[in-house]
Each structure stands twice: as structure tokens, then as C-alpha cells.
Amino acid sequence: HVISVINSGQVFTHDGLRKVSELRDWLKLQAAKTESPVLLVQADLNVTTAVLAEVASAARSAGFELIWAAGDPGATGTEPAR
């Protein structure tokens, strides 16, 4: 499973837009369909720590293993690493 989180706290899933407050219930439904649920969380650099903590809490309580990906949403991937 993959979700994208933006700084407003909105979460984009494969089946639509969710609020962070709705994420826990959605993740529980998704985990019930998967034997070993893994969640890739994509977030831009502007997402607050509080939002990320809420996402992590929801994912862990639903039984997901977490993988984080953070980056600059304007990056093209062609610039050298700093």
C-alpha cells in the first residue's frame, strides 16, 4: 500500500482522498485484506512532524509495517545529491 501526505494533512490513497483523521479506519480495512501489510508513506518536506506522527500511529495500530519516503515535491531527480 502507498499513501501520499501533503502539508495540509490530506492523504492520497489508491481509492481517493482522505483526511488524516479518517486514515486509521481506512488502514484497518486495508490491513484486513493483506497478510503482512506494509505501508509506503510518501511525504513532502513541508509535512509537519505532528501529521507524520499521526500517520505513523494510525498505521501501526492497524498492523502495518512502515516505510518512509520524504522529498522535495519540486525536485526532478536530475539534480546531484547535496
Short mmCIF file of all heavy atoms in Angstrom, two decimals:
data_model
loop_
_atom_site.label_atom_id
_atom_site.label_comp_id
_atom_site.label_asym_id
_atom_site.label_seq_id
_atom_site.Cartn_x
_atom_site.Cartn_y
_atom_site.Cartn_z
N HIS A 1 0.83 -1.17 0.00
CA HIS A 1 0.00 0.00 0.00
C HIS A 1 0.88 1.24 0.00
O HIS A 1 1.92 1.27 0.65
CB HIS A 1 -0.91 0.01 1.23
CG HIS A 1 -1.95 -1.06 1.20
ND1 HIS A 1 -1.69 -2.34 1.60
CD2 HIS A 1 -3.23 -1.03 0.80
CE1 HIS A 1 -2.79 -3.06 1.46
NE2 HIS A 1 -3.74 -2.29 0.97
N VAL A 2 0.43 2.26 -0.71
CA VAL A 2 1.16 3.52 -0.81
C VAL A 2 0.19 4.66 -0.53
O VAL A 2 -0.91 4.68 -1.07
CB VAL A 2 1.77 3.70 -2.22
CG1 VAL A 2 2.49 5.03 -2.32
CG2 VAL A 2 2.69 2.55 -2.57
N ILE A 3 0.63 5.60 0.32
CA ILE A 3 -0.13 6.82 0.52
C ILE A 3 0.80 8.01 0.35
O ILE A 3 2.01 7.88 0.56
CB ILE A 3 -0.83 6.88 1.89
CG1 ILE A 3 0.19 6.86 3.05
CG2 ILE A 3 -1.85 5.76 2.03
CD1 ILE A 3 -0.43 7.12 4.41
N SER A 4 0.24 9.14 -0.03
CA SER A 4 0.99 10.38 -0.13
C SER A 4 0.35 11.39 0.81
O SER A 4 -0.87 11.57 0.80
CB SER A 4 0.97 10.93 -1.56
OG SER A 4 1.61 10.03 -2.42
N VAL A 5 1.19 12.04 1.61
CA VAL A 5 0.71 13.00 2.60
C VAL A 5 1.23 14.38 2.22
O VAL A 5 2.41 14.54 1.91
CB VAL A 5 1.21 12.64 4.02
CG1 VAL A 5 0.63 13.58 5.05
CG2 VAL A 5 0.87 11.19 4.36
N ILE A 6 0.33 15.37 2.24
CA ILE A 6 0.76 16.74 1.94
C ILE A 6 0.64 17.59 3.21
O ILE A 6 0.01 17.17 4.18
CB ILE A 6 -0.02 17.35 0.75
CG1 ILE A 6 -1.51 17.39 1.02
CG2 ILE A 6 0.28 16.58 -0.53
CD1 ILE A 6 -2.30 18.12 -0.06
N ASN A 7 1.25 18.76 3.16
CA ASN A 7 1.38 19.57 4.37
C ASN A 7 0.05 20.01 4.98
O ASN A 7 -0.01 20.38 6.14
CB ASN A 7 2.31 20.76 4.15
CG ASN A 7 1.81 21.72 3.09
OD1 ASN A 7 0.83 21.45 2.41
ND2 ASN A 7 2.49 22.82 2.93
N SER A 8 -1.03 19.96 4.24
CA SER A 8 -2.34 20.32 4.79
C SER A 8 -2.92 19.19 5.64
O SER A 8 -3.95 19.37 6.29
CB SER A 8 -3.32 20.65 3.67
OG SER A 8 -3.56 19.49 2.89
N GLY A 9 -2.25 18.04 5.63
CA GLY A 9 -2.74 16.89 6.37
C GLY A 9 -3.65 16.00 5.55
O GLY A 9 -4.22 15.05 6.08
N GLN A 10 -3.77 16.28 4.28
CA GLN A 10 -4.57 15.42 3.41
C GLN A 10 -3.73 14.23 2.99
O GLN A 10 -2.52 14.33 2.80
CB GLN A 10 -5.04 16.19 2.19
CG GLN A 10 -6.04 17.28 2.52
CD GLN A 10 -6.44 18.06 1.29
OE1 GLN A 10 -5.58 18.55 0.57
NE2 GLN A 10 -7.72 18.18 1.06
N VAL A 11 -4.42 13.10 2.81
CA VAL A 11 -3.75 11.85 2.46
C VAL A 11 -4.37 11.32 1.18
O VAL A 11 -5.59 11.15 1.09
CB VAL A 11 -3.90 10.81 3.59
CG1 VAL A 11 -3.21 9.52 3.22
CG2 VAL A 11 -3.37 11.37 4.91
N PHE A 12 -3.52 11.06 0.19
CA PHE A 12 -3.98 10.49 -1.07
C PHE A 12 -3.73 8.99 -1.03
O PHE A 12 -2.62 8.54 -0.77
CB PHE A 12 -3.24 11.13 -2.25
CG PHE A 12 -3.56 12.59 -2.39
CD1 PHE A 12 -2.77 13.55 -1.77
CD2 PHE A 12 -4.64 13.01 -3.15
CE1 PHE A 12 -3.06 14.90 -1.89
CE2 PHE A 12 -4.94 14.36 -3.28
CZ PHE A 12 -4.14 15.30 -2.64
N THR A 13 -4.79 8.21 -1.27
CA THR A 13 -4.72 6.75 -1.29
C THR A 13 -5.07 6.27 -2.70
O THR A 13 -5.51 7.05 -3.54
CB THR A 13 -5.70 6.14 -0.27
OG1 THR A 13 -7.04 6.35 -0.74
CG2 THR A 13 -5.52 6.76 1.12
N HIS A 14 -4.95 4.97 -2.91
CA HIS A 14 -5.28 4.42 -4.23
C HIS A 14 -6.76 4.57 -4.57
O HIS A 14 -7.14 4.49 -5.72
CB HIS A 14 -4.84 2.95 -4.33
CG HIS A 14 -5.68 2.02 -3.53
ND1 HIS A 14 -5.45 1.78 -2.20
CD2 HIS A 14 -6.77 1.27 -3.86
CE1 HIS A 14 -6.35 0.92 -1.75
NE2 HIS A 14 -7.16 0.60 -2.74
N ASP A 15 -7.59 4.78 -3.56
CA ASP A 15 -9.02 4.91 -3.85
C ASP A 15 -9.61 6.24 -3.38
O ASP A 15 -10.79 6.32 -3.08
CB ASP A 15 -9.79 3.73 -3.28
CG ASP A 15 -9.70 3.60 -1.77
OD1 ASP A 15 -8.92 4.34 -1.14
OD2 ASP A 15 -10.40 2.75 -1.21
N GLY A 16 -8.77 7.28 -3.33
CA GLY A 16 -9.32 8.59 -3.05
C GLY A 16 -8.60 9.37 -1.96
O GLY A 16 -7.66 8.89 -1.34
N LEU A 17 -9.08 10.57 -1.77
CA LEU A 17 -8.52 11.50 -0.81
C LEU A 17 -9.11 11.24 0.57
O LEU A 17 -10.31 11.01 0.70
CB LEU A 17 -8.84 12.93 -1.25
CG LEU A 17 -8.35 14.07 -0.39
CD1 LEU A 17 -6.84 14.11 -0.34
CD2 LEU A 17 -8.89 15.39 -0.94
N ARG A 18 -8.26 11.27 1.58
CA ARG A 18 -8.69 11.07 2.96
C ARG A 18 -8.11 12.18 3.84
O ARG A 18 -7.06 12.73 3.53
CB ARG A 18 -8.15 9.75 3.53
CG ARG A 18 -8.41 8.57 2.67
CD ARG A 18 -9.56 7.77 3.23
NE ARG A 18 -9.80 6.64 2.34
CZ ARG A 18 -10.96 6.41 1.76
NH1 ARG A 18 -11.95 7.22 1.96
NH2 ARG A 18 -11.13 5.39 0.98
N LYS A 19 -8.77 12.43 4.95
CA LYS A 19 -8.20 13.28 5.98
C LYS A 19 -7.38 12.38 6.90
O LYS A 19 -7.67 11.18 7.02
CB LYS A 19 -9.31 13.95 6.80
CG LYS A 19 -10.17 14.90 6.01
CD LYS A 19 -11.27 15.44 6.89
CE LYS A 19 -12.22 16.30 6.08
NZ LYS A 19 -13.36 16.75 6.88
N VAL A 20 -6.39 12.93 7.57
CA VAL A 20 -5.60 12.13 8.50
C VAL A 20 -6.51 11.49 9.54
O VAL A 20 -6.31 10.34 9.93
CB VAL A 20 -4.48 12.98 9.15
CG1 VAL A 20 -3.78 12.21 10.24
CG2 VAL A 20 -3.47 13.42 8.11
N SER A 21 -7.54 12.21 9.97
CA SER A 21 -8.46 11.68 10.98
C SER A 21 -9.25 10.46 10.49
O SER A 21 -9.73 9.67 11.29
CB SER A 21 -9.44 12.77 11.42
OG SER A 21 -10.20 13.24 10.32
N GLU A 22 -9.35 10.27 9.18
CA GLU A 22 -10.06 9.12 8.60
C GLU A 22 -9.12 7.95 8.32
O GLU A 22 -9.57 6.85 7.99
CB GLU A 22 -10.72 9.52 7.29
CG GLU A 22 -11.71 10.64 7.41
CD GLU A 22 -12.15 11.19 6.06
OE1 GLU A 22 -11.39 11.09 5.07
OE2 GLU A 22 -13.26 11.73 6.00
N LEU A 23 -7.83 8.20 8.44
CA LEU A 23 -6.84 7.23 7.99
C LEU A 23 -6.85 5.93 8.79
O LEU A 23 -6.74 4.85 8.22
CB LEU A 23 -5.45 7.87 8.05
CG LEU A 23 -4.32 7.12 7.38
CD1 LEU A 23 -4.62 6.89 5.90
CD2 LEU A 23 -3.01 7.89 7.54
N ARG A 24 -7.01 6.01 10.09
CA ARG A 24 -6.95 4.81 10.94
C ARG A 24 -7.99 3.77 10.50
O ARG A 24 -7.67 2.59 10.31
CB ARG A 24 -7.16 5.19 12.40
CG ARG A 24 -6.94 4.05 13.38
CD ARG A 24 -7.08 4.50 14.83
NE ARG A 24 -6.34 5.70 15.13
CZ ARG A 24 -5.08 5.74 15.58
NH1 ARG A 24 -4.44 4.62 15.78
NH2 ARG A 24 -4.50 6.89 15.84
N ASP A 25 -9.23 4.20 10.30
CA ASP A 25 -10.28 3.26 9.88
C ASP A 25 -10.01 2.70 8.50
O ASP A 25 -10.19 1.50 8.25
CB ASP A 25 -11.65 3.94 9.91
CG ASP A 25 -12.12 4.23 11.33
OD1 ASP A 25 -11.64 3.57 12.28
OD2 ASP A 25 -12.97 5.13 11.49
N TRP A 26 -9.54 3.55 7.57
CA TRP A 26 -9.24 3.08 6.22
C TRP A 26 -8.10 2.06 6.25
O TRP A 26 -8.17 1.02 5.58
CB TRP A 26 -8.87 4.27 5.32
CG TRP A 26 -8.58 3.88 3.92
CD1 TRP A 26 -9.49 3.65 2.92
CD2 TRP A 26 -7.30 3.64 3.34
NE1 TRP A 26 -8.86 3.28 1.76
CE2 TRP A 26 -7.49 3.27 1.99
CE3 TRP A 26 -6.00 3.71 3.83
CZ2 TRP A 26 -6.44 2.97 1.13
CZ3 TRP A 26 -4.95 3.41 2.97
CH2 TRP A 26 -5.18 3.04 1.64
N LEU A 27 -7.07 2.34 7.05
CA LEU A 27 -5.94 1.41 7.13
C LEU A 27 -6.35 0.07 7.74
O LEU A 27 -5.88 -0.98 7.31
CB LEU A 27 -4.80 2.03 7.93
CG LEU A 27 -4.02 3.12 7.20
CD1 LEU A 27 -3.07 3.82 8.17
CD2 LEU A 27 -3.24 2.56 6.02
N LYS A 28 -7.23 0.09 8.72
CA LYS A 28 -7.70 -1.17 9.32
C LYS A 28 -8.42 -2.03 8.28
O LYS A 28 -8.24 -3.24 8.24
CB LYS A 28 -8.61 -0.89 10.51
CG LYS A 28 -7.84 -0.44 11.73
CD LYS A 28 -8.76 -0.17 12.91
CE LYS A 28 -7.94 0.30 14.10
NZ LYS A 28 -8.79 0.59 15.25
N LEU A 29 -9.22 -1.39 7.43
CA LEU A 29 -9.89 -2.13 6.36
C LEU A 29 -8.89 -2.72 5.37
O LEU A 29 -9.02 -3.85 4.92
CB LEU A 29 -10.87 -1.22 5.62
CG LEU A 29 -12.12 -0.81 6.38
CD1 LEU A 29 -12.91 0.24 5.59
CD2 LEU A 29 -12.99 -2.02 6.66
N GLN A 30 -7.87 -1.93 5.04
CA GLN A 30 -6.85 -2.39 4.10
C GLN A 30 -6.02 -3.52 4.70
O GLN A 30 -5.68 -4.49 4.02
CB GLN A 30 -5.93 -1.23 3.69
CG GLN A 30 -6.63 -0.08 3.00
CD GLN A 30 -7.47 -0.53 1.82
OE1 GLN A 30 -6.99 -1.20 0.91
NE2 GLN A 30 -8.74 -0.17 1.82
N ALA A 31 -5.67 -3.41 5.97
CA ALA A 31 -4.87 -4.44 6.63
C ALA A 31 -5.61 -5.77 6.69
O ALA A 31 -4.99 -6.84 6.61
CB ALA A 31 -4.48 -3.98 8.04
N ALA A 32 -6.93 -5.71 6.83
CA ALA A 32 -7.73 -6.94 6.89
C ALA A 32 -7.66 -7.72 5.58
O ALA A 32 -7.90 -8.92 5.57
CB ALA A 32 -9.17 -6.59 7.23
N LYS A 33 -7.30 -7.06 4.49
CA LYS A 33 -7.24 -7.69 3.17
C LYS A 33 -5.84 -8.20 2.84
O LYS A 33 -5.63 -8.76 1.77
CB LYS A 33 -7.64 -6.69 2.09
CG LYS A 33 -9.01 -6.11 2.25
CD LYS A 33 -9.24 -5.05 1.19
CE LYS A 33 -10.50 -4.25 1.41
NZ LYS A 33 -10.64 -3.18 0.41
N THR A 34 -4.87 -7.98 3.73
CA THR A 34 -3.46 -8.25 3.43
C THR A 34 -2.85 -9.09 4.54
O THR A 34 -3.02 -8.78 5.72
CB THR A 34 -2.68 -6.93 3.31
OG1 THR A 34 -3.35 -6.09 2.36
CG2 THR A 34 -1.26 -7.15 2.86
N GLU A 35 -2.10 -10.12 4.17
CA GLU A 35 -1.50 -10.99 5.18
C GLU A 35 -0.41 -10.29 5.99
O GLU A 35 -0.37 -10.38 7.21
CB GLU A 35 -0.92 -12.23 4.51
CG GLU A 35 -0.41 -13.25 5.50
CD GLU A 35 0.03 -14.53 4.84
OE1 GLU A 35 -0.59 -14.94 3.84
OE2 GLU A 35 1.01 -15.12 5.32
N SER A 36 0.51 -9.61 5.33
CA SER A 36 1.59 -8.88 6.01
C SER A 36 1.60 -7.45 5.49
O SER A 36 2.37 -7.12 4.59
CB SER A 36 2.94 -9.54 5.74
OG SER A 36 2.95 -10.85 6.24
N PRO A 37 0.75 -6.59 6.04
CA PRO A 37 0.60 -5.25 5.48
C PRO A 37 1.84 -4.37 5.65
O PRO A 37 2.42 -4.29 6.73
CB PRO A 37 -0.59 -4.66 6.23
CG PRO A 37 -0.72 -5.47 7.47
CD PRO A 37 -0.14 -6.82 7.18
N VAL A 38 2.23 -3.76 4.54
CA VAL A 38 3.34 -2.81 4.51
C VAL A 38 2.81 -1.52 3.89
O VAL A 38 2.08 -1.56 2.91
CB VAL A 38 4.52 -3.35 3.67
CG1 VAL A 38 5.63 -2.32 3.57
CG2 VAL A 38 5.04 -4.65 4.26
N LEU A 39 3.19 -0.39 4.48
CA LEU A 39 2.71 0.90 4.00
C LEU A 39 3.90 1.79 3.66
O LEU A 39 4.75 2.05 4.51
CB LEU A 39 1.86 1.58 5.07
CG LEU A 39 1.25 2.92 4.70
CD1 LEU A 39 0.22 2.76 3.59
CD2 LEU A 39 0.62 3.58 5.92
N LEU A 40 3.95 2.24 2.42
CA LEU A 40 4.93 3.24 1.99
C LEU A 40 4.26 4.60 2.13
O LEU A 40 3.23 4.85 1.52
CB LEU A 40 5.36 3.02 0.54
CG LEU A 40 6.24 4.11 -0.07
CD1 LEU A 40 7.55 4.27 0.69
CD2 LEU A 40 6.49 3.84 -1.54
N VAL A 41 4.84 5.45 2.97
CA VAL A 41 4.31 6.79 3.21
C VAL A 41 5.21 7.78 2.48
O VAL A 41 6.38 7.92 2.82
CB VAL A 41 4.27 7.12 4.71
CG1 VAL A 41 3.71 8.53 4.92
CG2 VAL A 41 3.45 6.09 5.47
N GLN A 42 4.66 8.44 1.48
CA GLN A 42 5.38 9.48 0.75
C GLN A 42 4.93 10.82 1.30
O GLN A 42 3.73 11.07 1.41
CB GLN A 42 5.08 9.41 -0.74
CG GLN A 42 5.48 8.10 -1.37
CD GLN A 42 5.01 7.98 -2.81
OE1 GLN A 42 3.96 8.46 -3.18
NE2 GLN A 42 5.82 7.33 -3.62
N ALA A 43 5.90 11.66 1.67
CA ALA A 43 5.56 12.96 2.24
C ALA A 43 6.56 13.99 1.73
O ALA A 43 7.75 13.70 1.59
CB ALA A 43 5.59 12.90 3.76
N ASP A 44 6.06 15.21 1.48
CA ASP A 44 7.00 16.25 1.08
C ASP A 44 7.64 16.85 2.33
O ASP A 44 7.26 16.56 3.46
CB ASP A 44 6.34 17.30 0.19
CG ASP A 44 5.36 18.22 0.89
OD1 ASP A 44 5.66 18.66 2.01
OD2 ASP A 44 4.32 18.53 0.30
N LEU A 45 8.65 17.65 2.12
CA LEU A 45 9.42 18.20 3.23
C LEU A 45 8.64 19.16 4.11
O LEU A 45 9.08 19.50 5.21
CB LEU A 45 10.68 18.89 2.69
CG LEU A 45 11.66 17.97 1.96
CD1 LEU A 45 12.79 18.77 1.35
CD2 LEU A 45 12.19 16.91 2.90
N ASN A 46 7.47 19.62 3.67
CA ASN A 46 6.68 20.58 4.42
C ASN A 46 5.68 19.95 5.37
O ASN A 46 5.00 20.65 6.12
CB ASN A 46 5.94 21.51 3.46
CG ASN A 46 6.90 22.31 2.61
OD1 ASN A 46 7.87 22.85 3.11
ND2 ASN A 46 6.64 22.36 1.32
N VAL A 47 5.55 18.63 5.35
CA VAL A 47 4.60 17.96 6.24
C VAL A 47 5.14 18.03 7.66
O VAL A 47 6.30 17.71 7.92
CB VAL A 47 4.37 16.49 5.80
CG1 VAL A 47 3.44 15.78 6.77
CG2 VAL A 47 3.82 16.43 4.39
N THR A 48 4.29 18.44 8.58
CA THR A 48 4.74 18.62 9.96
C THR A 48 4.99 17.28 10.65
O THR A 48 4.41 16.25 10.29
CB THR A 48 3.71 19.41 10.78
OG1 THR A 48 2.52 18.62 10.91
CG2 THR A 48 3.40 20.76 10.15
N THR A 49 5.82 17.34 11.67
CA THR A 49 6.10 16.15 12.47
C THR A 49 4.83 15.63 13.12
O THR A 49 4.64 14.42 13.25
CB THR A 49 7.16 16.48 13.53
OG1 THR A 49 8.32 17.00 12.89
CG2 THR A 49 7.55 15.26 14.34
N ALA A 50 3.95 16.53 13.53
CA ALA A 50 2.69 16.12 14.16
C ALA A 50 1.84 15.29 13.21
O ALA A 50 1.26 14.27 13.61
CB ALA A 50 1.92 17.35 14.65
N VAL A 51 1.75 15.70 11.96
CA VAL A 51 0.98 14.95 10.96
C VAL A 51 1.63 13.59 10.73
O VAL A 51 0.96 12.55 10.68
CB VAL A 51 0.83 15.74 9.65
CG1 VAL A 51 0.26 14.87 8.54
CG2 VAL A 51 -0.06 16.96 9.86
N LEU A 52 2.95 13.56 10.60
CA LEU A 52 3.65 12.29 10.37
C LEU A 52 3.47 11.35 11.56
O LEU A 52 3.29 10.14 11.37
CB LEU A 52 5.13 12.55 10.12
CG LEU A 52 5.44 13.30 8.82
CD1 LEU A 52 6.94 13.55 8.72
CD2 LEU A 52 4.94 12.55 7.60
N ALA A 53 3.48 11.89 12.77
CA ALA A 53 3.27 11.07 13.96
C ALA A 53 1.86 10.48 13.97
O ALA A 53 1.66 9.31 14.35
CB ALA A 53 3.52 11.89 15.22
N GLU A 54 0.89 11.26 13.54
CA GLU A 54 -0.49 10.78 13.48
C GLU A 54 -0.64 9.66 12.45
O GLU A 54 -1.31 8.66 12.68
CB GLU A 54 -1.43 11.94 13.17
CG GLU A 54 -2.87 11.64 13.45
CD GLU A 54 -3.77 12.86 13.36
OE1 GLU A 54 -3.27 14.00 13.31
OE2 GLU A 54 -5.00 12.66 13.33
N VAL A 55 0.01 9.83 11.30
CA VAL A 55 0.00 8.81 10.26
C VAL A 55 0.66 7.53 10.79
O VAL A 55 0.14 6.42 10.62
CB VAL A 55 0.71 9.31 8.98
CG1 VAL A 55 0.96 8.17 8.00
CG2 VAL A 55 -0.11 10.42 8.33
N ALA A 56 1.81 7.67 11.43
CA ALA A 56 2.53 6.51 11.97
C ALA A 56 1.69 5.77 13.01
O ALA A 56 1.62 4.54 13.01
CB ALA A 56 3.86 6.94 12.56
N SER A 57 1.05 6.51 13.89
CA SER A 57 0.21 5.90 14.91
C SER A 57 -0.94 5.12 14.29
O SER A 57 -1.24 3.99 14.69
CB SER A 57 -0.32 6.99 15.85
OG SER A 57 -1.21 6.44 16.78
N ALA A 58 -1.59 5.73 13.30
CA ALA A 58 -2.71 5.06 12.62
C ALA A 58 -2.24 3.78 11.93
O ALA A 58 -2.90 2.74 12.02
CB ALA A 58 -3.35 6.01 11.62
N ALA A 59 -1.10 3.86 11.26
CA ALA A 59 -0.59 2.70 10.53
C ALA A 59 -0.20 1.57 11.48
O ALA A 59 -0.54 0.40 11.24
CB ALA A 59 0.60 3.12 9.68
N ARG A 60 0.50 1.91 12.53
CA ARG A 60 0.93 0.87 13.47
C ARG A 60 -0.26 0.23 14.18
O ARG A 60 -0.28 -0.99 14.39
CB ARG A 60 1.92 1.46 14.47
CG ARG A 60 3.27 1.72 13.84
CD ARG A 60 4.33 2.08 14.88
NE ARG A 60 5.57 2.41 14.20
CZ ARG A 60 6.07 3.63 14.10
NH1 ARG A 60 5.45 4.65 14.68
NH2 ARG A 60 7.19 3.85 13.45
N SER A 61 -1.25 1.02 14.54
CA SER A 61 -2.41 0.45 15.23
C SER A 61 -3.22 -0.45 14.30
O SER A 61 -3.91 -1.35 14.77
CB SER A 61 -3.30 1.54 15.81
OG SER A 61 -4.00 2.23 14.81
N ALA A 62 -3.10 -0.23 13.01
CA ALA A 62 -3.79 -1.08 12.04
C ALA A 62 -2.95 -2.31 11.67
O ALA A 62 -3.41 -3.18 10.95
CB ALA A 62 -4.10 -0.28 10.77
N GLY A 63 -1.71 -2.36 12.18
CA GLY A 63 -0.87 -3.54 11.94
C GLY A 63 0.09 -3.43 10.76
O GLY A 63 0.65 -4.42 10.33
N PHE A 64 0.30 -2.22 10.26
CA PHE A 64 1.19 -2.03 9.13
C PHE A 64 2.64 -1.87 9.55
O PHE A 64 2.94 -1.23 10.56
CB PHE A 64 0.80 -0.77 8.34
CG PHE A 64 -0.30 -0.98 7.35
CD1 PHE A 64 -1.63 -0.87 7.74
CD2 PHE A 64 -0.03 -1.29 6.03
CE1 PHE A 64 -2.66 -1.06 6.84
CE2 PHE A 64 -1.05 -1.48 5.12
CZ PHE A 64 -2.37 -1.37 5.53
N GLU A 65 3.54 -2.41 8.75
CA GLU A 65 4.96 -2.07 8.82
C GLU A 65 5.11 -0.80 7.98
O GLU A 65 4.50 -0.69 6.91
CB GLU A 65 5.81 -3.19 8.22
CG GLU A 65 7.27 -2.87 8.16
CD GLU A 65 8.09 -3.93 7.46
OE1 GLU A 65 7.61 -5.07 7.31
OE2 GLU A 65 9.21 -3.60 7.06
N LEU A 66 5.90 0.15 8.45
CA LEU A 66 6.03 1.44 7.77
C LEU A 66 7.34 1.57 7.02
O LEU A 66 8.39 1.16 7.51
CB LEU A 66 5.96 2.58 8.79
CG LEU A 66 4.59 2.91 9.33
CD1 LEU A 66 4.71 3.84 10.51
CD2 LEU A 66 3.75 3.54 8.26
N ILE A 67 7.25 2.18 5.85
CA ILE A 67 8.42 2.61 5.07
C ILE A 67 8.17 4.06 4.74
O ILE A 67 7.09 4.42 4.26
CB ILE A 67 8.58 1.78 3.78
CG1 ILE A 67 8.76 0.30 4.13
CG2 ILE A 67 9.76 2.30 2.96
CD1 ILE A 67 8.75 -0.62 2.93
N TRP A 68 9.16 4.92 5.01
CA TRP A 68 9.01 6.36 4.79
C TRP A 68 9.78 6.80 3.55
O TRP A 68 10.89 6.34 3.31
CB TRP A 68 9.54 7.14 5.99
CG TRP A 68 8.75 6.89 7.23
CD1 TRP A 68 9.05 6.00 8.21
CD2 TRP A 68 7.54 7.53 7.62
NE1 TRP A 68 8.08 6.05 9.20
CE2 TRP A 68 7.15 6.97 8.86
CE3 TRP A 68 6.74 8.51 7.05
CZ2 TRP A 68 5.99 7.38 9.53
CZ3 TRP A 68 5.59 8.91 7.72
CH2 TRP A 68 5.24 8.35 8.94
N ALA A 69 9.20 7.73 2.82
CA ALA A 69 9.88 8.39 1.70
C ALA A 69 9.56 9.87 1.79
O ALA A 69 8.40 10.27 1.82
CB ALA A 69 9.39 7.83 0.37
N ALA A 70 10.60 10.69 1.90
CA ALA A 70 10.40 12.13 2.00
C ALA A 70 11.20 12.82 0.92
O ALA A 70 12.25 12.34 0.52
CB ALA A 70 10.84 12.64 3.37
N GLY A 71 10.69 13.93 0.46
CA GLY A 71 11.42 14.64 -0.57
C GLY A 71 10.81 15.98 -0.90
O GLY A 71 9.78 16.36 -0.36
N ASP A 72 11.48 16.66 -1.79
CA ASP A 72 11.04 17.96 -2.27
C ASP A 72 10.09 17.72 -3.43
O ASP A 72 10.49 17.15 -4.44
CB ASP A 72 12.27 18.76 -2.71
CG ASP A 72 11.92 20.14 -3.23
OD1 ASP A 72 10.72 20.46 -3.36
OD2 ASP A 72 12.85 20.90 -3.51
N PRO A 73 8.82 18.14 -3.32
CA PRO A 73 7.87 17.87 -4.39
C PRO A 73 8.23 18.54 -5.70
O PRO A 73 7.76 18.13 -6.75
CB PRO A 73 6.55 18.42 -3.84
CG PRO A 73 6.94 19.42 -2.81
CD PRO A 73 8.25 18.93 -2.24
N GLY A 74 9.10 19.53 -5.68
CA GLY A 74 9.51 20.20 -6.91
C GLY A 74 10.77 19.62 -7.53
O GLY A 74 11.19 20.02 -8.59
N ALA A 75 11.37 18.62 -6.88
CA ALA A 75 12.60 18.05 -7.39
C ALA A 75 12.34 17.21 -8.62
O ALA A 75 11.33 16.52 -8.72
CB ALA A 75 13.27 17.21 -6.31
N THR A 76 13.25 17.25 -9.56
CA THR A 76 13.09 16.49 -10.79
C THR A 76 13.83 15.17 -10.76
O THR A 76 13.64 14.33 -11.62
CB THR A 76 13.61 17.29 -11.99
OG1 THR A 76 15.02 17.53 -11.79
CG2 THR A 76 12.88 18.62 -12.14
N GLY A 77 14.72 15.02 -9.80
CA GLY A 77 15.51 13.80 -9.73
C GLY A 77 16.76 13.86 -10.58
O GLY A 77 17.55 12.94 -10.62
N THR A 78 16.96 14.99 -11.26
CA THR A 78 18.14 15.14 -12.12
C THR A 78 19.24 15.96 -11.46
O THR A 78 20.32 16.06 -12.00
CB THR A 78 17.77 15.80 -13.46
OG1 THR A 78 17.21 17.09 -13.17
CG2 THR A 78 16.76 14.96 -14.23
N GLU A 79 18.94 16.50 -10.30
CA GLU A 79 19.94 17.30 -9.61
C GLU A 79 20.84 16.40 -8.77
O GLU A 79 20.38 15.39 -8.25
CB GLU A 79 19.25 18.33 -8.69
CG GLU A 79 18.36 19.28 -9.45
CD GLU A 79 17.55 20.15 -8.53
OE1 GLU A 79 17.82 20.15 -7.31
OE2 GLU A 79 16.63 20.82 -9.01
N PRO A 80 22.12 16.76 -8.63
CA PRO A 80 23.02 15.94 -7.82
C PRO A 80 22.63 16.01 -6.34
O PRO A 80 22.08 17.02 -5.88
CB PRO A 80 24.40 16.57 -8.05
CG PRO A 80 24.13 17.93 -8.55
CD PRO A 80 22.80 17.89 -9.24
N ALA A 81 22.89 14.95 -5.62
CA ALA A 81 22.60 14.92 -4.18
C ALA A 81 23.47 15.94 -3.47
O ALA A 81 24.60 16.19 -3.87
CB ALA A 81 22.85 13.51 -3.63
N ARG A 82 22.93 16.51 -2.41
CA ARG A 82 23.70 17.50 -1.64
C ARG A 82 24.25 16.92 -0.39
O ARG A 82 23.75 16.11 0.24
CB ARG A 82 22.80 18.68 -1.29
CG ARG A 82 22.33 19.37 -2.53
CD ARG A 82 21.44 20.54 -2.18
NE ARG A 82 20.88 21.01 -3.43
CZ ARG A 82 19.76 21.64 -3.51
NH1 ARG A 82 19.07 21.94 -2.47
NH2 ARG A 82 19.30 22.05 -4.68
#
